[in-house]
Amino acid sequence: MTRKKTLDSIGSQTYDLVIVGGGITGAGVLLEASKIGYKTLLIEKGDFSSGTSSKSAKLVHGGLRYLQFFYFKLVRESLVERNHLLQEYAHIVKPLEFIFPLYQSSFKFRIGMILYQMMGKHDLLPKYAFENKEKTLGRLNAINSQNLKGSFIYYDGITNDSRLTAEIIFESKQYSNSTAINYLELTNSNQTDEGYTLTCTDHTSPKTLEIKTKYVVNCGGPWTDKILDTLIPQAPDFMAPSKGVHLVFSQDRIPMKSAYAFSSNANDKRMFYALPWEHNSVIIGVTDTDYDGDLDNVEIDTDDVSYMLHGINSFLPKLKVTTDDILYQFVGLRPLFKDEIASKDRSRDFKIWWSNDRVVNLAGGKLTTFRAMAKALIKDILPKLKASESKPTEPLNLNAEAPNFLSKDKTEHITKQYGKYNSYLFDLIHKNKALGNWLDEEFQVLNVEIAFFVKYQDCYYIEDVLNRRLALGYVLDKHPKNKLIIEKVSQIFQQYIAPKKDEK
């Protein structure tokens, strides 16, 4: 269905639930609500995941560091959810080897590792191990060797957070009772006896529409209070977001093949991590500071960068990393609740609360636990709203076999990266052979991936593809073929966005 038809349709019916907020939390609620038959609509004022869910740590993890705060329930739940994601979304969520160099006694860290291993029952990942100083330096000789005792090796998961969010939404839309639309902002509301009438503005056209719903689910993350103000004037504030800054480097400059956890060396007891990431890059993060500024314009200042470079160079003194080495930097906001303690020590657990008998809020938590959060919310709604049976609609009539002319490496790339949805990409290549070509072999991206994201996963602007679905934007700014690659992406993008534009 085209965007115009979708907008016309959602303005002419009444929903059981309208979810406001298209990050991973809202996506998770959409999927769980769709499965039990609720007629559900998700709206997002920007692109899906354009807020916190494309600027996260990229980790799918139990939260080893939370053990020091005795958050055992959160860690146990996170490990269960991590294992679920590794199994069900194996093409997006991958195992990640972590190296934790030790510069003091290993006793308390060993206890932590044992607890982490025990709490991850039925674990899909290898057990932790200890390596001595020589083996640790053999992996990466650039790390600080002074007082180095050795390192613990353990495993968690890594994901493209934006792609995971888009896929959960895409999976939800396979149910006929489920709709999701981005670039549609809630701007006003009116409570009625039957629920709410929501006034929304379409940011891809000068169109305003009204949507009727029995219940509103607020999944706004850091924007929770702002959304509540639109639904319930003078509602109290609950959120106190914290700012998290990440820096991106080339693996040619910081040659890491495994992830590392290390101290910020700033007397604040914070840990940094360095992750080998897509397109031969390394992401290093993350700061954690209270934030009370404009939620839509969060800036990275020189103090943030200096603080991080100090920690990086303390850990990797031989590399002498400078601002000139930074390929890209991004900042996100954690949806934390108000508390007297510092943001870095506040709980990452989630909360569900009703603001009135028609508005329910879900906030807090972390990327890894989005499914558990959604299930808890649906359990809270069920006494008020009866569920019904729901099944996915019949699949599209796609030419699902890999084309004979497609090379083995390209076929394997699609299968590995897109899992059960690879048939959508194979079908597009059958219809347009040129989509089977590499966009650029250095980055291992096929033309068909851009076409797939535009046609099936709601990309309306080139930024949606470059900075989120493919994350090429992380490495292109200083790349010599920057303009050429963007031009290629633009040509494919225009070919597949044109029908949507024609029918607005």
Side-chain angles (χ1 to χ4, degrees):
M1 186 182 290
T2 64
R3 184 178 181 91
K4 181 181 184 302
K5 289 179 179 177
T6 300
L7 289 171
D8 290 343
S9 172
I10 65 179
S12 64
Q13 50 192 306
T14 300
Y15 289 90
D16 292 324
L17 306 177
V18 168
I19 302 162
V20 184
I24 193 66
T25 302
V29 174
L30 179 67
L31 181 57
E32 296 303 320
S34 303
K35 287 178 179 177
I36 63 168
Y38 287 159
K39 190 174 185 178
T40 308
L41 169 67
L42 181 148
I43 60 174
E44 161 60 44
K45 69 176 183 176
D47 183 23
F48 297 131
S49 82
S50 57
T52 298
S53 295
S54 60
K55 304 175 182 73
S56 78
K58 319 298 183 191
L59 292 174
V60 175
H61 66 126
L64 178 63
R65 78 177 187 88
Y66 302 147
L67 291 176
Q68 67 183 311
F69 302 113
F70 305 106
Y71 294 154
F72 297 133
K73 178 179 177 293
L74 174 62
V75 173
R76 190 179 297 110
E77 179 180 68
S78 298
L79 287 169
V80 169
E81 293 303 308
R82 181 200 69 183
N83 290 344
H84 167 78
L85 291 171
L86 283 165
Q87 198 162 25
E88 295 299 317
Y89 298 92
H91 58 292
I92 300 180
V93 183
K94 313 282 187 180
L96 178 67
E97 181 183 64
F98 257 97
I99 300 171
F100 195 145
L102 293 175
Y103 294 92
Q104 53 187 289
S105 169
S106 66
F107 177 73
K108 72 172 184 178
F109 294 99
R110 191 177 296 275
I111 296 298
M113 289 293 171
I114 292 171
L115 274 173
Y116 202 58
Q117 196 81 55
M118 288 174 57
M119 294 173 80
K121 291 187 297 184
H122 313 298
D123 213 334
L124 302 173
L125 300 175
K127 293 183 178 180
Y128 82 90
F130 180 81
E131 289 188 349
N132 61 26
K133 178 177 180 177
E134 289 70 27
K135 286 187 177 180
T136 301
L137 291 172
R139 286 174 172 267
L140 182 61
N141 192 45
I143 69 173
N144 191 342
S145 62
Q146 188 176 358
N147 299 321
L148 179 66
K149 312 295 184 187
S151 60
F152 279 110
I153 314 299
Y154 70 100
Y155 293 81
D156 265 318
I158 189 169
T159 189
N160 180 321
D161 47 3
S162 183
R163 262 200 68 200
L164 180 62
T165 303
E167 179 140 329
I168 298 299
I169 292 171
F170 184 60
E171 183 178 347
S172 304
K173 289 162 68 175
Q174 309 308 307
Y175 294 85
S176 61
N177 51 301
S178 174
T179 307
I181 190 159
N182 50 1
Y183 295 105
L184 187 67
E185 182 175 6
L186 171 67
T187 52
N188 208 343
S189 71
N190 179 42
Q191 188 172 7
T192 66
D193 293 338
E194 294 78 27
Y196 267 85
T197 299
L198 307 176
T199 303
C200 299
T201 300
D202 176 25
H203 289 306
T204 70
S205 69
K207 184 179 178 67
T208 300
L209 66 155
E210 292 189 339
I211 303 168
K212 294 181 173 61
T213 183
K214 297 173 185 175
Y215 295 92
V216 180
V217 182
N218 181 1
C219 293
W223 289 266
T224 294
D225 293 337
K226 193 171 182 180
I227 292 168
L228 263 181
D229 286 342
T230 307
L231 296 166
I232 304 169
Q234 299 181 331
D237 289 342
F238 296 89
M239 309 307 294
S242 77
K243 184 173 82 166
V245 174
H246 295 78
L247 306 180
V248 182
F249 302 88
S250 169
Q251 284 189 31
D252 295 334
R253 187 67 180 88
I254 301 181
M256 290 181 172
K257 299 304 178 185
S258 298
Y260 281 79
F262 58 96
S263 169
S264 67
N265 271 293
N267 297 319
D268 58 3
K269 296 183 179 180
R270 272 207 62 74
M271 296 298 297
F272 285 170
Y273 55 82
L275 311 175
W277 181 238
E278 298 174 0
H279 314 307
N280 194 46
S281 66
V282 173
I283 295 176
I284 300 182
V286 58
T287 65
D288 193 340
T289 52
D290 293 319
Y291 183 78
D292 60 2
D294 185 350
L295 299 178
D296 295 311
N297 292 287
V298 188
E299 295 183 351
I300 299 172
D301 55 45
T302 54
D303 288 343
D304 294 321
V305 176
S306 297
Y307 166 76
M308 292 192 67
L309 287 177
H310 170 75
I312 293 167
N313 284 313
S314 296
F315 180 60
L316 302 167
K318 295 178 181 178
L319 297 185
K320 296 181 172 56
V321 179
T322 71
T323 54
D324 291 338
D325 298 312
I326 299 170
L327 296 182
Y328 186 75
Q329 53 193 26
F330 62 93
V331 57
L333 294 175
R334 300 177 186 85
L336 303 182
F337 293 97
K338 288 185 172 183
D339 203 318
E340 295 299 319
I341 60 177
S343 61
K344 70 182 180 65
D345 297 329
R346 273 183 258 155
S347 172
R348 267 50 173 175
D349 211 344
F350 66 90
K351 294 180 184 178
I352 298 168
W353 73 101
W354 291 83
S355 293
N356 61 31
D357 61 351
R358 297 289 178 172
V359 175
V360 62
N361 308 275
L362 173 60
K366 55 202 204 60
L367 172 71
T368 308
T369 57
F370 75 88
R371 184 184 70 136
M373 294 164 63
K375 284 180 175 291
L377 178 85
I378 294 300
K379 185 178 179 181
D380 220 51
I381 293 174
L382 276 169
K384 297 173 177 283
L385 190 61
K386 186 178 178 181
S388 60
E389 186 178 358
S390 180
K391 295 180 180 179
T393 55
E394 289 296 316
L396 296 176
N397 184 21
L398 301 173
N399 194 342
E401 297 297 321
N404 293 331
F405 56 80
L406 200 64
S407 63
K408 182 180 178 182
D409 62 328
K410 293 174 180 176
T411 301
E412 288 179 349
H413 171 82
I414 291 172
T415 302
K416 184 178 178 181
Q417 294 294 322
Y418 294 90
K420 64 183 178 181
Y421 296 117
N422 60 36
S423 58
Y424 287 82
L425 287 85
F426 290 145
D427 182 71
L428 285 166
I429 295 172
H430 277 292
K431 293 172 181 174
N432 183 352
K433 189 175 180 178
L435 292 179
N437 296 330
W438 292 113
L439 174 72
D440 185 272
E441 290 196 34
E442 178 184 345
F443 296 123
Q444 292 290 287
V445 173
L446 289 165
N447 293 335
V448 71
E449 296 177 68
I450 294 118
F452 170 73
F453 292 134
V454 177
K455 185 175 176 64
Y456 293 112
Q457 290 202 350
D458 307 294
C459 291
Y460 286 92
Y461 301 96
I462 289 178
E463 180 188 2
D464 303 341
V465 177
L466 288 177
N467 285 5
R468 283 178 282 279
R469 309 304 190 277
L470 286 177
L472 275 171
Y474 287 25
V475 295
L476 280 183
D477 278 358
K478 295 183 178 181
H479 196 276
K481 292 191 283 186
N482 179 332
K483 292 182 179 179
L484 177 62
I485 292 172
I486 292 175
E487 178 59 30
K488 285 183 175 181
V489 172
S490 178
Q491 288 173 1
I492 300 167
F493 180 89
Q494 293 301 331
Q495 181 181 351
Y496 285 89
I497 198 69
K500 295 183 180 182
K501 288 186 174 180
D502 289 344
E503 298 194 48
K504 280 181 184 174

